[in-house]
Amino acid sequence: MFGWLKSDPVKKLRKAYDQKLEQAMHAQRNGDMRLYADLTAESEEIWQQIEQLEKPAAHS
């Protein structure tokens, strides 16, 4: 009944993923390759979480 009030976890994760990628881009432009690598790794972890959440929806 109140399903529209629930927040979408995938939407929240996509926003975090986009923010990490943007931070990584700025780190790369500033020449901080270590920070770039760390942020890219974090964004990959977030992407894996997104895929896991979307996986059951694809099979339904």
Side-chain angles (χ1 to χ4, degrees):
M1 182 172 162
F2 291 103
W4 56 274
L5 290 176
K6 293 181 182 177
S7 63
D8 185 10
V10 174
K11 185 176 179 181
K12 187 175 182 179
L13 284 172
R14 283 189 186 272
K15 185 175 181 178
Y17 175 74
D18 290 340
Q19 288 175 342
K20 286 291 180 189
L21 286 180
E22 186 174 351
Q23 290 172 353
M25 177 193 65
H26 289 297
Q28 184 181 31
R29 286 184 178 173
N30 291 332
D32 191 348
M33 291 298 114
R34 183 172 302 230
L35 180 60
Y36 169 74
D38 291 341
L39 291 170
T40 303
E42 289 176 24
S43 69
E44 286 298 320
E45 290 174 12
I46 294 171
W47 186 253
Q48 293 297 325
Q49 292 174 2
I50 291 171
E51 286 183 337
Q52 288 298 319
L53 288 173
E54 289 182 338
K55 190 181 215 181
H59 294 297
S60 296

